[in-house]
Amino acid sequence: ALDYMKAEDLQTNFVDIGPVNKAMNMLVCWIDGKEHPDDPELADNFTRHVMRVPDYLWVAEDGMKMQGYNGSQCWDTSFAIQAIIESGMA
């Protein structure tokens, strides 16, 4: 599981695929860094996570908000295409 998390971190430049993964991966990086204090890359990975937290947070007129995902356009489009095909309109 740790290898998968590290791959996700690298592939998404430490943004990860969503806020739940973000928090979990960041916590795992912090623990991994504490268990291997002589490995500077592990400590740097936690710092990279912290730097990407603002990608999910913003302040609106009624307080701080957290974005769940970067958008659902791909899902929306794929469901619309499936509906059009199934309805025989295509």
Side-chain angles (χ1 to χ4, degrees), residues 3-73:
D3 290 337
Y4 176 82
M5 288 181 186
K6 288 179 179 181
E8 180 184 346
D9 290 344
L10 294 175
Q11 291 169 4
T12 63
N13 197 22
F14 293 86
V15 174
D16 297 320
I17 62 170
V20 175
N21 289 47
K22 176 72 178 157
M24 184 176 63
N25 289 16
M26 189 163 60
L27 178 61
V28 169
C29 276
W30 181 72
I31 293 169
D32 201 26
K34 293 290 184 189
E35 291 179 353
H36 304 95
D38 53 334
D39 188 342
E41 183 181 343
L42 294 177
D44 192 40
N45 285 345
F46 178 74
T47 303
R48 290 177 181 162
H49 268 291
V50 171
M51 291 172 50
R52 299 308 302 257
V53 168
D55 293 338
Y56 285 105
L57 303 175
W58 77 94
V59 178
E61 63 276 356
D62 58 342
M64 183 168 282
K65 305 288 185 183
M66 181 171 195
Q67 180 168 316
Y69 291 93
N70 289 333
S72 64
Q73 296 87 348

Side-chain angles (χ1 to χ4, degrees), residues 73-87 89-90:
Q73 296 87 348
C74 184
W75 285 102
D76 296 343
T77 303
S78 66
F79 290 141
I81 291 169
Q82 287 176 357
I84 291 169
I85 290 171
E86 290 295 320
S87 69
M89 295 172 57

